[in-house]
Amino acid sequence: MPNALVWFRNDLRLADNPALQATLRAGFDPVPVYIHAPDEEGDWAPGAASDAWRHRSLLALAADLRARGSRLQVFAGPTLATLQRLVAQTQAEAVFWNRRYEPAIESRDATIKRALRAAGARVESHAAALLVEPWQVQTRTGDPYRVFTPYWRSVLGQWRLPPSSEAPAQLPSPLVLADALAIDSLGLAPTRDWDRDFWKQWTPGEHGAQAAVQSFLAQALDGYRERRDRPDLAGTSRLSPHLHFGEIAPWRVVRMLDAIGAGEDRDACVRELGWREFAHHLLHHFPHTPGANFNPRFDGFPWAEPSAQQLQAWQRGRTGIPIVDAGMRELWHTGWMHNRVRMIVASFLTKNLRIHWQHGARWFWDTLVDADLASNTLGWQWVAGTGADAAPYYRVFNPVLQAQKFDPRGDYIARWVPELAPLAPAQRHQPWTGAVPRGYVEPMVDLAESRKAALDALARNGR
Ligand code: FAD
């Protein structure tokens, strides 16, 4: 049978893989390839934590392909030239891939598609990462949505989920390409083992993703709506890196939720997946927003000039505000942070310290294993108050009240800031009300004063 390249990207799975399925359905022998080209991602080449995850996820995909008689062959970019060479070497008649939505990647892929087609190849890109393509829903006036609730209502009114499909049991053995690289040679794995604690709780790859859903359904779905805001409980799915790397299809997650039955926990979880969809809708329609305020009224906002010392205190979890420090240390040690705490640390940076959200977004980009241009941009602009459908800038989270409400016994704080563990639970939220324990720090800002300074800055900005 004729060959077709199946170009793997952020779709590192064999089940529910539309590009792979289409290749087989069209009667081609798939030649699975991966091309490493971080410099083609514009200003947002993947960060260190993403690379560490991708390394393991590629190894998992390679093993899964090998178990089916196939083989993942890995190359370094530039992508177009590499694909052209591979098409020639394998005499492939077609190239299939699943879509990505980051602006730099979208335009690169469009160029690649045109060039390959011009040379006579059949080229297909498929929908694999989302429940709804970003351009599939629009307002009555034909514009993109800017507010989540009507966006989501419109999605729910028209979505058609694909059926789940299992990974092929067997795949043809592809031509072996002499110049394929070892995954280890891509330089994705850290040279020093700063990521060693990550893998105590994460298993990158399709099997890890499916196990994560199973364990979420068995242990945390019940009560999810109530518990999802509690960082002290294992109350959420932790699926975000698996979804980002395409190790599981979002529609499989929805179908698995549906198989358990209707209910408010199921609806709350699907709604969170809806925020991920909305983030991609916004990124597609407003591609400048990773680097610029969605709301241009903030373009002249008097952000403070951050000192290296301030930024480092925030990054390392040494601000003296326990819930902020707990979150930043969780991020450093695990590559992930609970959503509620992401909001708290982002509010502290952009409001109490009045540091531009871009500084925070960049740090998250480098340290999160789920770093995702769409969701990270939405999250930061939402908290900073500069975004579409954002929390207004004047709504400044009080990190002590937030901690009291969502980490009532201070267990989460004690886990990540062990200096505070000996304190009574109520004191862990604000240790400065007594003697701050040795090894911990005094708050780097006064919460009330810095809140007032943020509101004054907002007034100066004319809002
Ligand atoms: P669950 O509560 O189990 O939710 C299920 C899935 O829904 C998640 O895996 C995720 O894919 C999606 N989801 C949930 N909440 C959101 C949300 N608010 N926005 C978009 N998708 C959501 N998420 C990322 O995947 N990558 C990022 O880079 C990212 N950066 C963020 C930055 C900030 C400042 C904030 C406030 C949020 C950010 N989020 C990001 C969203 C959210 O924090 C994570 O998706 C969530 O914490 C992942 O945990 P979970 O898988 O256990 O979520």
Side-chain angles (χ1 to χ4, degrees):
M1 284 209 277
N3 284 330
L5 301 182
V6 178
W7 174 24
F8 280 89
R9 300 121 62 83
N10 279 0
D11 53 344
L12 302 176
R13 64 176 186 261
L14 298 180
D16 302 301
N17 189 320
L20 178 60
Q21 284 162 359
T23 310
L24 294 168
R25 221 175 21 242
F28 290 109
D29 276 354
V31 181
V33 299
Y34 178 83
I35 301 169
H36 181 59
D39 49 329
E40 294 174 14
E41 308 220 9
D43 290 339
W44 297 93
S50 298
D51 278 351
W53 185 289
R54 186 182 299 277
H55 175 74
R56 287 170 183 248
S57 194
L58 284 172
L59 290 174
L61 178 69
D64 287 343
L65 282 165
R66 216 167 27 245
R68 288 166 172 80
S70 183
R71 167 193 286 261
L72 181 67
Q73 303 193 74
V74 172
F75 304 89
T79 303
L80 174 57
T82 306
L83 284 171
Q84 285 169 326
R85 181 168 54 80
L86 295 175
V87 164
Q89 274 175 321
T90 60
Q91 298 183 345
E93 292 179 7
V95 183
F96 289 74
W97 68 76
N98 293 312
R99 280 180 214 122
R100 289 181 58 177
Y101 307 91
E102 296 85 350
I105 299 285
E106 274 191 340
S107 75
R108 178 201 66 182
D109 290 353
T111 306
I112 289 178
K113 200 180 249 184
R114 270 194 306 274
L116 293 176
R117 277 187 182 154
R122 169 173 171 181
V123 182
E124 287 183 20
S125 65
H126 290 265
L130 299 171
L131 299 168
V132 178
E133 291 297 90
W135 46 86
Q136 231 170 303
V137 281
Q138 51 188 18
T139 65
R140 245 180 262 135
T141 52
D143 295 316
Y145 282 96
R146 291 155 188 262
V147 178
F148 175 72
T149 304
Y151 162 81
W152 191 230
R153 206 179 303 124
S154 161
V155 168
L156 290 178
Q158 56 173 281
W159 76 2
R160 303 268 172 282
L161 294 189
S164 292
S165 66
E166 296 312 318
Q170 204 61 36
L171 286 165
S173 163
L175 193 70
V176 177
L177 297 157
D179 53 344
L181 303 169
I183 292 169
D184 284 346
S185 74
L186 299 180
L188 295 169
T191 42
R192 284 180 300 117
D193 64 347
W194 49 260
D195 61 333
R196 65 183 172 278
D197 289 346
F198 286 20
W199 319 117
K200 292 178 188 156
Q201 60 165 289
W202 299 112
T203 309
E206 187 165 11
H207 298 289
Q210 295 195 1
V213 192
Q214 298 287 5
S215 104
F216 171 60
L217 296 180
Q219 286 160 32
L221 177 61
D222 192 18
Y224 171 82
R225 201 173 74 96
E226 293 293 324
R227 291 156 45 104
R228 58 174 286 272
D229 267 322
R230 293 276 304 268
D232 56 334
L233 309 173
T236 67
S237 71
R238 295 177 180 248
L239 277 175
S240 48
H242 298 293
L243 284 165
H244 170 75
F245 284 97
E247 296 169 357
I248 189 159
W251 61 86
R252 176 173 285 251
V253 178
V254 175
R255 288 192 178 283
M256 288 170 83
L257 285 164
D258 286 345
I260 298 219
E264 58 182 26
D265 293 322
R266 175 263 178 216
D267 290 350
C269 190
V270 174
R271 189 179 162 86
E272 290 313 309
L273 290 170
W275 277 98
R276 178 174 177 270
E277 301 286 316
F278 184 50
H280 284 84
H281 179 77
L282 291 176
L283 182 63
H284 174 75
H285 290 290
F286 305 99
H288 63 287
T289 52
N293 298 317
F294 191 97
N295 182 348
R297 290 170 77 176
F298 276 86
D299 288 354
F301 185 80
W303 301 104
E305 193 52 53
S307 69
Q309 206 184 4
Q310 271 181 317
L311 270 178
Q312 217 177 51
W314 179 78
Q315 291 166 347
R316 303 274 182 242
R318 304 280 299 163
T319 67
I321 310 296
I323 189 77
V324 172
D325 293 341
M328 298 309 291
R329 294 187 199 184
E330 178 180 35
L331 173 59
W332 186 251
H333 287 287
T334 69
W336 186 88
M337 193 197 301
H338 188 278
N339 180 60
R340 169 62 47 181
V341 192
R342 292 187 202 204
M343 293 195 281
I344 298 170
V345 305
S347 172
F348 182 77
L349 186 80
T350 56
K351 295 177 181 175
N352 297 96
L353 300 181
R354 222 166 11 100
I355 291 177
H356 199 298
W357 59 267
Q358 279 276 319
H359 289 281
R362 285 281 171 193
W363 181 252
F364 271 29
W365 186 253
D366 202 35
T367 51
L368 278 172
V369 286
D370 67 17
D372 181 275
L373 197 57
S375 297
N376 200 39
T377 303
L378 171 71
W380 277 97
Q381 295 231 35
W382 190 91
V383 178
T386 59
D389 194 7
Y393 185 86
Y394 60 75
R395 198 169 295 156
V396 181
F397 278 45
N398 178 323
V400 174
L401 295 180
Q402 289 282 317
Q404 287 168 339
K405 184 163 178 198
F406 297 112
D407 181 26
R409 293 182 45 80
D411 291 341
Y412 175 76
I413 289 173
R415 187 176 327 141
W416 294 109
V417 189
E419 304 96 291
L420 300 179
L423 298 185
Q427 241 207 316
R428 291 174 185 162
H429 301 128
Q430 40 187 344
W432 55 84
T433 56
V436 172
R438 267 171 76 90
Y440 195 54
V441 286
E442 296 283 347
M444 66 188 286
V445 285
D446 178 273
L447 291 175
E449 276 170 24
S450 56
R451 175 176 186 277
K452 185 171 174 314
L455 297 181
D456 289 348
L458 186 66
R460 287 208 297 289
N461 192 46
R463 297 199 36 172

